Amino acid sequence: MKTENETAAAVLELRHVTKLFGQFKAVDDVSFRLGPGSICGFLGPNGAGKTTTIRMILEILKPTSGAITVLGRPSALEVRHRLGYLPEEKGLYKKMKAWAIVAYFATLKGMTRQAAKRRAFELLERYGLKDFAEKPTDALSKGMGQKVQILAAIAHDPELVILDEPFSGLDPVNQGVMEELIREMARRNRTVLFSTHVMEHAERLCERILLIARGRLIFDGSMAEAKRTVPRRVRLETEDDVAPLRDLAEVSAMRALPRAGAQTDGPGHASQQWELELRENSDPQLILQTCFGRRIRLKSFNQSEPTLHDVFLRLVGAEAKEVVFR
Amino acid sequence: MRYALLVAWREYAENAKTRGFWVGIFLFPLILLLSIQVPILIEQRATPVRYYILVDPSRSLAPAIEAALEKSYQQQMLAALKQYARKNALPMTNSAAPRPGPSLEALNEADAQSLETFVAKGGRDFFLAQIEPRLHPGAAPFREPRRLFQQVKLPPAINPKAELSTIAEDLKPYLRQDKLVEANGATVPLAAAILIPPQLEDQIVRPQPRSPAAAARPSATPRQIQYWSANASDNRFRDEVERAVNAEVRRREYLARGIDAGVIQQIERTYVPFVSLNPKKEKGLEAMGAADIIRQWAPSAFVYLLWVATFTVMQMLLTNTIEEKSNRIIEVLLSSVTPGELMIGKLLGIAAIGLTMVGAWVAASFGVLLWKSGGAPEVTGQILLVLRTSNLLPLFAVYFLLGYLMYAAFILSLGSVCNTLKEAQSYMGAMTLLLIVPLLTLPFIPKDPNGPLARVLSWIPFYTPFIMMNRATADPPLIDLVGTLVLLVATTLGALYLAGRIFRIGILRTGQPPKIVEMLRWALRR
């Protein structure tokens, strides 16, 4: 049971939110809470219910049941001037000038015309679009257009920013700029919720991961917690028999990896790569010690942290199961 | 409301920057100007001078024809002089200059006696001398109208004393314009030849009441007046000559039968004044004047304006809504404004664009009329009087707004469910058919403004704005005026309410547009 203070402090809170389209359950009993100054990745496969959830947060859609609190208010429209939103499918008024679009959306968020215009030019200059400020948006490249739209979403310095696939369409340099922009907002105690399909961005940026699949929230936790959902793995390569490793209590599963090209050192001596899944809290050093003890000659030994990509595949794939840490 | 106004302002400002808007603004007065100016220009410049040959060996009819053509030219001259005076001289009433002779304002080219007076006084020179003291400083000199029909002599190669059939044969190459004739030292194409046989008396057709067969036209051609021309479509010259010949023949007939031609002429100019009176007007002012004619037809002009404005604005609204939807801008907008605010903003913004356009059209049309009437106070004054004393302008505003909002509700619903203009086209086709009815009935309503057709159509809300506007100056029954307005307001509000519901759902929907039944379900679902 949360106290009233905790609720008031939450920038965003969803409680048992469900959305039905006819008989189809697009979002199913989703609950989570975001505090100020956090960067949260909202991940999930296509059609998982991310956009519907975002639209409900922004009150573009009404939930069938459940409650949403945004910046302490039950309606996002009441605090719309404190919210910023970049939708997944980007679009701009083709004939409007870049500065005018940024300024227009800023005025819709409560800024005065003069302040919005000033802010538009300031942002366009800061993010390298000064020379394009007076150009109609159909004269801009796709990436530039997207940058303009991102700037339009944050021009009014919102407290909660929701970015749906902010990196798509940006080149690596601008992806870096975008990442820095998100970090900078968090440093100023702004809360950022963003969805992405590129796990590397989420891994670099997020303190918190929300994973949604088939309308249900299947993971809500920190990055470390997310990684703990995937067993640690060890990869080794040897020509010798690895049967002794299979019997170890620390190893929960073991499989031969497919061969990539010729790896033979001579007749009858084929080198093979193996992947071992370790049980929780097992030490990979034990595998190494066993190899030395049983005279298994190693050509390579590699222990690696699971990536968010592994987490995603594991949780969203066939083995998907709900893991909620909060 | 602040957000709706922001959306409205953007709609207005952005649409006002489009090429289509400015083309729309200028095209209407341009078309109006061209429709007035082009026929005048064609008449003045493009119609070539028609050179003709008149062969009348007995000279029995040639002087009459020449006199009639001269009279026709003098009519043109007088009209041109009056136009020149309107543009370049102070009105007579404002002038202290002496006014010897007949009043110039009283000269009327359409009145035979007045024209005779003009010619007798000295024609052009007399007129110019009269207005000279009142001419504006620096006024351009008067340019005489061209003589459209000019006589040329028979080419020297043709024997004027030959038989008419020979002359006709010899003239054919000229009439086919294989050869040219001489006129004023230049060679010009021959447009027509009139050959009058010497013994015309035998050819005159007289009514024979007792023997109708004898009244039939004689079939022998060589002894008729022959009009030769390769141009069969422009009959003005032929008609003028035929009228002149028949007038002269009748004049001679009067004389031959011992009737005084002067008396006949006087009798022909005798008439009883006729006045149209309107029982609905104030006592003593019942006579119908130009203002009444304008009053009767002005609503039609407003209906046309209403129609063009509604149709243009509908297109803008549709294109604009589909652009926002297909670009997915709508989603960002909906995170900042409610669907209701967005819809109201769009409706207001585009309505303002429509009113700006209509305002510009009315002003430009008025300007064109003022200019083309040469500043004639009677025309513009009458129009202003009608606009001031009738309820046309406020009614136009009311019917434009209600009609626009009603149709806009359908357009917004349509725009919100279609992803491309192509998808919307099939629905727009139906809408266009619906909108054509008021245009088709446009000319019939003023003739019977309170008849069954007008009354029935008035009660169909889709047509109420157009039909009631067309009946505006015909004092429709109060029940029609109030009842149709109430029905229109109710329909408009209902349409807007349902459109709001469809808009809210449709605008975020992607993929194929829904069926009409499904849209109705959205609209009516609780």
Side-chain angles (χ1 to χ4, degrees):
Chain A
M1 189 79 182
K2 293 176 186 81
T3 64
E4 265 187 41
N5 279 346
E6 274 181 296
T7 309
V11 170
L12 174 66
E13 183 167 14
L14 277 76
R15 290 187 298 276
H16 307 292
V17 172
T18 297
K19 177 71 188 177
L20 291 169
F21 290 112
Q23 297 299 309
F24 176 69
K25 214 175 239 184
V27 175
D28 186 5
D29 195 29
V30 167
S31 299
F32 65 84
R33 202 166 165 275
L34 292 185
S38 59
I39 303 176
C40 177
F42 195 34
L43 313 179
N46 294 331
K50 296 191 297 289
T51 301
T52 305
T53 307
I54 288 175
R55 283 178 177 176
M56 285 191 289
I57 294 170
L58 294 160
E59 223 184 324
I60 296 172
L61 292 176
K62 298 243 185 263
T64 311
S65 64
I68 299 173
T69 312
V70 185
L71 295 165
R73 310 296 304 175
S75 158
L77 283 173
E78 286 180 35
V79 286
R80 54 186 159 186
H81 54 285
R82 293 160 68 192
L83 300 178
Y85 173 46
L86 175 77
E88 181 182 3
E89 287 179 73
K90 279 83 184 168
L92 294 164
Y93 291 108
K94 289 180 189 161
K95 298 292 169 201
M96 261 178 115
K97 290 175 180 171
W99 76 262
I101 285 209
V102 176
Y104 173 58
F105 284 113
T107 54
L108 283 183
K109 295 292 191 182
M111 286 180 88
T112 63
R113 279 218 190 121
Q114 286 85 351
K117 187 174 178 180
R118 245 193 335 266
R119 175 83 171 142
F121 277 102
E122 179 195 312
L123 282 174
L124 288 167
E125 184 171 0
R126 191 191 306 165
Y127 291 98
L129 291 171
K130 187 186 168 193
D131 295 341
F132 299 92
E134 294 284 356
K135 291 244 163 39
T137 60
D138 60 358
L140 304 181
S141 71
K142 191 182 168 198
M144 284 181 195
Q146 192 169 334
K147 257 168 111 174
V148 168
Q149 201 172 358
I150 292 164
L151 298 179
I154 59 154
H156 57 297
D157 195 18
E159 289 163 56
L160 171 62
V161 186
I162 298 173
L163 308 169
D164 205 350
E165 292 290 344
F167 300 100
S168 71
L170 293 181
D171 61 38
V173 174
N174 280 311
Q175 286 181 7
V177 173
M178 184 74 207
E179 281 187 19
E180 187 44 40
L181 188 144
I182 291 173
R183 280 196 200 96
E184 198 265 338
M185 281 193 284
R187 278 198 291 275
R188 288 189 298 108
N189 213 30
R190 300 324 192 206
T191 305
V192 183
L193 175 71
F194 75 94
S195 79
T196 181
H197 284 112
V198 186
M199 296 300 136
E200 288 78 6
H201 294 302
E203 206 160 352
R204 281 199 292 270
L205 283 168
C206 298
E207 300 141 15
R208 171 93 176 274
I209 297 290
L210 296 169
L211 192 53
I212 188 169
R214 294 193 204 98
R216 292 186 69 82
L217 191 68
I218 58 171
F219 178 84
D220 175 3
S222 68
M223 188 61 76
E225 287 165 341
K227 289 183 176 175
R228 279 210 293 275
T229 63
V230 179
R232 298 184 77 177
R233 290 188 172 96
V234 165
R235 278 186 184 188
L236 53 85
E237 186 178 346
T238 181
E239 294 170 7
D240 301 328
D241 180 17
V242 291
L245 298 176
R246 206 185 298 269
D247 302 331
L248 286 173
E250 284 76 9
V251 176
S252 61
M254 187 169 141
R255 65 189 181 102
L257 293 177
R259 289 160 187 269
Q263 288 176 312
T264 53
D265 286 345
H269 292 282
S271 161
Q272 173 66 53
Q273 278 199 335
W274 297 90
E275 188 177 80
L276 285 70
E277 259 184 38
L278 306 188
R279 292 192 201 283
E280 210 169 327
N281 300 323
S282 301
D283 186 358
Q285 292 300 321
L286 195 76
I287 308 294
L288 203 56
Q289 281 173 17
T290 309
C291 286
F292 289 138
R294 299 296 184 96
R295 298 190 178 281
I296 299 169
R297 290 163 298 169
L298 294 175
K299 287 195 159 182
S300 70
F301 182 87
N302 186 4
Q303 64 168 89
S304 61
E305 282 285 305
T307 62
L308 195 54
H309 183 80
D310 299 327
V311 175
F312 186 88
L313 288 181
R314 181 178 173 85
L315 293 179
V316 171
E319 301 166 79
K321 59 182 182 188
E322 287 180 42
V323 187
V324 179
F325 284 81
R326 285 165 199 254
Chain B
M1 197 59 190
R2 174 176 181 261
Y3 295 101
L5 289 177
L6 280 171
V7 172
W9 171 247
R10 195 210 76 88
E11 292 291 342
Y12 185 84
E14 289 306 309
N15 275 295
K17 282 183 204 160
T18 59
R19 211 172 292 138
F21 174 76
W22 290 102
V23 168
I25 289 245
F26 286 111
L27 201 60
F28 187 83
L30 186 70
I31 289 174
L32 183 73
L33 181 64
L34 288 180
S35 63
I36 297 174
Q37 198 65 21
V38 166
I40 296 174
L41 281 177
I42 288 175
E43 184 66 35
Q44 285 178 348
R45 308 270 162 79
T47 309
V49 172
R50 307 276 189 211
Y51 293 96
Y52 68 93
I53 284 174
L54 180 57
V55 180
D56 182 10
S58 63
R59 295 288 296 164
S60 66
L61 286 172
I65 293 171
E66 283 157 7
L69 290 173
E70 176 61 26
K71 186 179 153 193
S72 165
Y73 177 68
Q74 288 304 326
Q75 275 181 327
Q76 252 180 288
M77 175 75 84
L78 180 54
L81 281 164
K82 282 166 71 181
Q83 172 84 4
Y84 174 76
R86 261 203 304 273
K87 278 191 177 169
N88 296 293
L90 290 169
M92 204 157 242
T93 44
N94 297 344
S95 168
R99 290 193 290 163
S103 155
L104 291 186
E105 270 74 7
L107 289 175
N108 177 4
E109 66 274 16
D111 177 66
Q113 202 166 356
S114 187
L115 190 67
E116 273 170 24
T117 312
F118 165 70
V119 175
K121 285 281 172 187
R124 186 197 77 150
D125 295 341
F126 158 74
F127 196 104
L128 288 177
Q130 288 290 300
I131 62 162
E132 207 264 322
R134 294 186 281 118
L135 274 184
H136 297 312
F142 174 68
R143 283 175 61 188
E144 285 185 12
R146 289 184 310 162
R147 281 181 190 269
L148 282 181
F149 308 121
Q150 290 187 25
Q151 197 178 156
V152 291
K153 287 182 181 154
L154 262 183
I158 298 176
N159 178 9
K161 291 184 178 151
E163 286 288 312
L164 282 192
S165 54
T166 315
I167 295 177
E169 273 313 306
D170 292 347
L171 276 174
K172 277 182 185 173
Y174 295 93
L175 288 161
R176 287 196 298 258
Q177 295 177 7
D178 296 337
K179 290 181 178 178
L180 298 174
V181 289
E182 291 262 338
N184 311 322
T187 51
V188 292
L190 184 65
I194 300 148
L195 311 183
I196 301 173
Q199 276 85 40
L200 196 66
E201 187 58 27
D202 309 342
Q203 294 303 310
I204 294 173
V205 181
R206 293 183 175 85
Q208 300 284 339
R210 285 182 195 166
S211 145
R217 269 178 174 261
S219 55
T221 52
R223 303 190 67 188
Q224 287 174 284
I225 295 180
Q226 297 169 25
Y227 174 81
W228 288 89
S229 175
N231 185 342
S233 56
D234 187 2
N235 278 332
R236 282 176 306 168
F237 181 58
R238 189 202 132 117
D239 294 344
E240 206 148 328
V241 171
E242 197 172 352
R243 252 196 320 274
V245 166
N246 285 324
E248 176 61 15
V249 167
R250 283 178 200 135
R251 192 187 65 83
R252 287 180 196 172
E253 197 72 8
Y254 291 134
L255 286 176
R257 297 191 189 193
I259 305 167
D260 185 349
V263 173
I264 295 296
Q265 203 178 35
Q266 277 183 351
I267 292 169
E268 278 178 354
R269 290 177 190 174
T270 308
Y271 67 96
V272 178
F274 217 87
V275 63
S276 296
L277 298 161
N278 188 342
K280 289 180 180 170
K281 295 181 75 176
E282 218 175 293
K283 190 169 169 52
L285 300 168
E286 294 103 327
M288 299 263 278
D292 298 288
I293 310 274
I294 294 171
R295 198 181 297 275
Q296 192 184 348
W297 288 100
S300 296
F302 274 99
V303 174
Y304 190 67
L305 210 59
L306 188 66
W307 194 90
V308 176
T310 309
F311 207 79
T312 314
V313 167
M314 294 292 98
Q315 293 287 348
M316 277 185 183
L317 192 61
L318 183 68
T319 318
N320 176 288
T321 311
I322 289 180
E323 186 201 2
E324 277 177 3
K325 185 176 172 177
S326 61
N327 273 355
R328 310 304 301 166
I329 301 167
I330 210 83
E331 217 169 313
V332 190
L333 286 172
L334 289 181
S335 70
S336 310
V337 296
T338 63
E341 287 168 335
L342 179 61
M343 205 173 102
I344 292 171
K346 292 178 87 62
L347 286 175
L348 287 180
I350 303 275
I353 277 284
L355 281 175
T356 306
M357 208 143 73
V358 171
W361 289 346
V362 171
S365 308
F366 202 69
V368 168
L369 280 178
L370 198 68
W371 178 48
K372 286 319 294 176
S373 63
E378 62 268 28
V379 179
T380 44
Q382 296 287 13
I383 293 173
L384 275 180
L385 180 76
V386 169
L387 291 182
R388 211 176 49 236
T389 56
S390 69
N391 48 10
L392 282 172
L393 284 177
L395 275 182
F396 179 81
V398 168
Y399 285 128
F400 173 76
L401 282 178
L402 287 172
Y404 159 73
L405 287 175
M406 179 178 58
Y407 279 101
F410 292 101
I411 290 290
L412 277 180
S413 312
L414 180 61
S416 70
V417 296
C418 294
N419 297 301
T420 60
L421 268 180
K422 203 175 169 189
E423 280 176 7
Q425 263 162 9
S426 54
Y427 296 95
M428 271 308 277
M431 184 80 104
T432 310
L433 281 179
L434 204 68
L435 265 168
I436 276 185
V437 175
L439 263 201
L440 291 179
T441 57
L442 181 69
F444 305 111
I445 303 294
K447 289 181 184 161
D448 192 7
N450 294 318
L453 177 73
R455 292 198 70 181
V456 168
L457 287 177
S458 300
W459 283 90
I460 301 172
F462 289 125
Y463 303 136
T464 305
F466 304 104
I467 307 294
M468 286 308 290
M469 186 74 230
N470 214 348
R471 297 171 68 191
T473 54
D475 296 332
L478 196 64
I479 176 76
D480 282 14
L481 197 65
V482 178
T484 57
L485 191 65
V486 169
L487 188 62
L488 178 63
V489 170
T491 310
T492 304
L493 289 177
L496 283 174
Y497 173 74
L498 298 181
R501 301 190 62 139
I502 294 174
F503 187 80
R504 178 187 280 272
I505 301 172
I507 203 76
L508 289 170
R509 203 184 133 113
T510 50
Q512 283 291 308
K515 296 197 169 76
I516 289 183
V517 181
E518 194 179 347
M519 284 165 70
L520 279 177
R521 208 179 304 132
W522 294 350
L524 300 171
R525 194 163 50 197
R526 291 195 159 210

Coordinates of all heavy atoms in Angstrom, one line a residue, chain A residues 222-259:
Chain A
S222 N 14.9 -2.7 -12.8 CA 16.1 -2.0 -13.2 C 16.8 -2.8 -14.3 O 16.5 -4.0 -14.6 CB 17.0 -1.8 -12.1 OG 17.5 -3.1 -11.7
M223 N 17.8 -2.2 -14.9 CA 18.6 -2.9 -15.9 C 19.3 -4.2 -15.4 O 19.2 -5.2 -16.0 CB 19.6 -1.9 -16.5 CG 20.4 -2.4 -17.7 SD 19.3 -2.7 -19.1 CE 19.0 -1.1 -19.6
A224 N 19.8 -4.0 -14.2 CA 20.5 -5.2 -13.5 C 19.5 -6.3 -13.3 O 19.8 -7.5 -13.6 CB 21.1 -4.7 -12.2
E225 N 18.3 -5.9 -12.8 CA 17.3 -6.9 -12.6 C 16.9 -7.6 -13.9 O 16.7 -8.8 -14.0 CB 16.1 -6.3 -11.9 CG 16.3 -5.9 -10.5 CD 15.3 -5.0 -9.9 OE1 14.6 -4.3 -10.7 OE2 15.2 -4.9 -8.7
A226 N 16.8 -6.8 -15.0 CA 16.5 -7.4 -16.2 C 17.5 -8.4 -16.7 O 17.1 -9.5 -17.1 CB 16.4 -6.3 -17.3
K227 N 18.7 -8.1 -16.5 CA 19.8 -9.0 -16.9 C 19.8 -10.3 -16.1 O 20.3 -11.3 -16.6 CB 21.1 -8.3 -16.9 CG 21.2 -7.3 -18.0 CD 22.5 -6.6 -18.1 CE 22.5 -5.7 -19.3 NZ 23.8 -4.9 -19.4
R228 N 19.4 -10.1 -14.9 CA 19.4 -11.3 -14.0 C 18.3 -12.3 -14.5 O 18.3 -13.5 -14.0 CB 19.2 -10.9 -12.6 CG 20.4 -10.4 -11.9 CD 20.4 -10.7 -10.4 NE 19.4 -9.9 -9.7 CZ 19.6 -8.7 -9.3 NH1 20.8 -8.1 -9.5 NH2 18.7 -8.0 -8.6
T229 N 17.4 -11.9 -15.3 CA 16.4 -12.9 -15.8 C 16.9 -13.8 -16.8 O 16.3 -14.8 -17.1 CB 15.2 -12.1 -16.4 OG1 15.7 -11.4 -17.6 CG2 14.5 -11.1 -15.4
V230 N 18.1 -13.5 -17.3 CA 18.7 -14.4 -18.3 C 19.9 -15.1 -17.6 O 20.7 -14.4 -17.0 CB 19.3 -13.5 -19.5 CG1 19.9 -14.4 -20.5 CG2 18.1 -12.8 -20.1
P231 N 20.0 -16.4 -17.7 CA 21.1 -17.1 -17.1 C 22.5 -16.7 -17.6 O 22.6 -16.4 -18.8 CB 20.9 -18.6 -17.4 CG 19.5 -18.7 -17.9 CD 19.2 -17.3 -18.4
R232 N 23.5 -16.7 -16.8 CA 24.8 -16.3 -17.3 C 25.3 -17.4 -18.2 O 25.0 -18.6 -18.0 CB 25.8 -16.1 -16.1 CG 25.3 -15.0 -15.2 CD 26.3 -14.8 -14.1 NE 27.5 -14.0 -14.6 CZ 28.5 -13.6 -13.8 NH1 28.5 -13.9 -12.5 NH2 29.5 -13.0 -14.3
R233 N 26.1 -17.0 -19.2 CA 26.5 -18.0 -20.1 C 28.0 -18.0 -20.2 O 28.7 -17.0 -20.1 CB 25.9 -17.7 -21.5 CG 24.4 -18.0 -21.6 CD 24.0 -17.8 -23.0 NE 22.6 -18.2 -23.1 CZ 21.6 -17.4 -23.1 NH1 21.8 -16.1 -23.0 NH2 20.3 -17.9 -23.2
V234 N 28.6 -19.2 -20.5 CA 30.0 -19.3 -20.8 C 30.1 -20.0 -22.2 O 29.4 -20.9 -22.5 CB 30.7 -20.2 -19.7 CG1 32.1 -20.6 -20.1 CG2 30.8 -19.4 -18.4
R235 N 31.1 -19.5 -22.9 CA 31.3 -20.1 -24.2 C 32.8 -20.6 -24.3 O 33.7 -19.9 -23.9 CB 31.2 -19.1 -25.4 CG 29.7 -18.9 -25.7 CD 29.6 -18.0 -26.9 NE 28.2 -17.8 -27.2 CZ 27.7 -17.2 -28.3 NH1 28.6 -16.7 -29.2 NH2 26.4 -17.1 -28.5
L236 N 32.9 -21.8 -24.7 CA 34.3 -22.3 -24.8 C 34.5 -23.1 -26.1 O 33.5 -23.6 -26.6 CB 34.7 -23.1 -23.5 CG 33.8 -24.3 -23.1 CD1 34.1 -25.6 -23.9 CD2 33.9 -24.5 -21.6
E237 N 35.8 -23.2 -26.5 CA 36.0 -24.0 -27.7 C 37.1 -25.0 -27.4 O 38.1 -24.7 -26.8 CB 36.5 -23.0 -28.8 CG 36.6 -23.7 -30.1 CD 37.0 -22.7 -31.2 OE1 37.0 -21.5 -31.0 OE2 37.5 -23.3 -32.3
T238 N 36.9 -26.3 -27.8 CA 37.9 -27.3 -27.5 C 37.7 -28.5 -28.5 O 36.6 -28.6 -29.1 CB 37.7 -27.9 -26.1 OG1 38.7 -28.9 -25.8 CG2 36.3 -28.4 -25.8
E239 N 38.8 -29.3 -28.6 CA 38.7 -30.5 -29.4 C 38.3 -31.7 -28.6 O 38.0 -32.8 -29.1 CB 40.0 -30.8 -30.1 CG 40.4 -29.7 -31.1 CD 41.8 -29.9 -31.6 OE1 42.4 -30.9 -31.3 OE2 42.3 -29.0 -32.3
D240 N 38.4 -31.5 -27.2 CA 38.3 -32.7 -26.3 C 36.8 -32.9 -25.9 O 36.0 -32.1 -26.2 CB 39.1 -32.4 -25.1 CG 40.6 -32.2 -25.4 OD1 41.0 -32.9 -26.4 OD2 41.3 -31.4 -24.8
D241 N 36.7 -34.0 -25.3 CA 35.3 -34.4 -24.8 C 34.9 -33.5 -23.7 O 35.7 -33.3 -22.7 CB 35.4 -35.9 -24.4 CG 34.1 -36.4 -23.9 OD1 33.0 -35.7 -24.2 OD2 34.0 -37.4 -23.2
V242 N 33.7 -33.0 -23.7 CA 33.3 -32.0 -22.7 C 32.3 -32.7 -21.7 O 31.6 -32.0 -20.9 CB 32.7 -30.7 -23.3 CG1 33.8 -29.9 -24.0 CG2 31.6 -31.1 -24.3
A243 N 32.1 -34.0 -21.8 CA 31.1 -34.6 -21.0 C 31.2 -34.3 -19.5 O 30.2 -34.1 -18.8 CB 31.1 -36.1 -21.2
P244 N 32.5 -34.2 -18.9 CA 32.6 -33.9 -17.5 C 31.9 -32.6 -17.1 O 31.4 -32.5 -16.0 CB 34.1 -33.8 -17.3 CG 34.7 -34.6 -18.4 CD 33.8 -34.4 -19.6
L245 N 31.9 -31.7 -18.0 CA 31.2 -30.4 -17.7 C 29.7 -30.5 -17.5 O 29.1 -29.8 -16.7 CB 31.6 -29.3 -18.8 CG 33.1 -29.0 -18.9 CD1 33.2 -28.0 -20.1 CD2 33.6 -28.4 -17.7
R246 N 29.2 -31.4 -18.3 CA 27.7 -31.6 -18.4 C 27.2 -32.0 -17.0 O 26.1 -31.7 -16.6 CB 27.4 -32.6 -19.4 CG 26.0 -32.5 -20.0 CD 25.7 -33.6 -20.9 NE 26.6 -33.7 -22.1 CZ 26.3 -33.1 -23.2 NH1 25.2 -32.4 -23.4 NH2 27.1 -33.1 -24.2
D247 N 28.1 -32.7 -16.3 CA 27.6 -33.3 -15.0 C 27.7 -32.3 -13.8 O 27.3 -32.6 -12.7 CB 28.4 -34.5 -14.7 CG 28.3 -35.6 -15.8 OD1 27.2 -35.6 -16.4 OD2 29.2 -36.3 -16.0
L248 N 28.3 -31.2 -14.1 CA 28.5 -30.2 -13.0 C 27.2 -29.6 -12.5 O 26.3 -29.3 -13.3 CB 29.4 -29.0 -13.5 CG 30.9 -29.3 -13.6 CD1 31.6 -28.1 -14.3 CD2 31.5 -29.6 -12.3
A249 N 27.1 -29.4 -11.2 CA 25.8 -28.9 -10.6 C 25.6 -27.5 -11.1 O 24.4 -27.0 -11.2 CB 25.9 -29.0 -9.1
E250 N 26.7 -26.7 -11.4 CA 26.5 -25.3 -11.7 C 26.0 -25.1 -13.1 O 25.5 -24.1 -13.5 CB 27.9 -24.6 -11.7 CG 28.4 -24.3 -10.3 CD 29.0 -25.5 -9.6 OE1 29.1 -26.6 -10.2 OE2 29.2 -25.4 -8.4
V251 N 26.1 -26.2 -13.9 CA 25.6 -26.0 -15.4 C 24.2 -26.5 -15.5 O 23.9 -27.7 -15.2 CB 26.6 -26.8 -16.3 CG1 26.1 -26.8 -17.7 CG2 28.0 -26.3 -16.2
S252 N 23.3 -25.6 -15.9 CA 21.9 -26.0 -16.1 C 21.7 -26.6 -17.5 O 20.8 -27.4 -17.7 CB 21.0 -24.9 -15.8 OG 21.3 -23.8 -16.7
A253 N 22.4 -26.1 -18.5 CA 22.2 -26.6 -19.8 C 23.5 -26.4 -20.6 O 24.3 -25.5 -20.3 CB 21.1 -25.8 -20.5
M254 N 23.6 -27.2 -21.7 CA 24.8 -27.1 -22.5 C 24.5 -27.5 -23.9 O 23.7 -28.4 -24.1 CB 25.9 -28.0 -21.9 CG 27.2 -27.9 -22.6 SD 28.4 -28.9 -21.6 CE 29.4 -29.6 -22.9
R255 N 25.0 -26.7 -24.9 CA 24.7 -27.1 -26.3 C 25.9 -26.7 -27.2 O 26.7 -25.8 -26.9 CB 23.4 -26.4 -26.7 CG 23.5 -24.9 -26.8 CD 22.2 -24.2 -27.1 NE 22.3 -22.8 -27.2 CZ 22.3 -22.1 -28.3 NH1 22.2 -22.7 -29.5 NH2 22.5 -20.8 -28.3
A256 N 26.0 -27.5 -28.2 CA 27.0 -27.2 -29.2 C 26.6 -26.1 -30.1 O 25.4 -26.1 -30.5 CB 27.3 -28.5 -30.0
L257 N 27.5 -25.2 -30.4 CA 27.1 -24.1 -31.3 C 27.4 -24.6 -32.7 O 28.3 -25.4 -33.0 CB 27.9 -22.9 -31.0 CG 27.6 -22.2 -29.7 CD1 28.5 -21.0 -29.4 CD2 26.1 -21.8 -29.6
P258 N 26.6 -24.1 -33.7 CA 26.8 -24.5 -35.1 C 28.2 -24.1 -35.5 O 28.7 -23.0 -35.1 CB 25.8 -23.7 -35.8 CG 24.9 -23.1 -34.9 CD 25.5 -23.1 -33.5
R259 N 28.9 -25.0 -36.3 CA 30.2 -24.7 -36.8 C 30.2 -23.6 -37.8 O 29.3 -23.6 -38.7 CB 30.9 -25.9 -37.4 CG 31.2 -27.0 -36.4 CD 31.4 -28.3 -37.2 NE 31.5 -29.4 -36.2 CZ 32.7 -29.8 -35.8 NH1 33.8 -29.3 -36.2 NH2 32.8 -30.8 -35.0

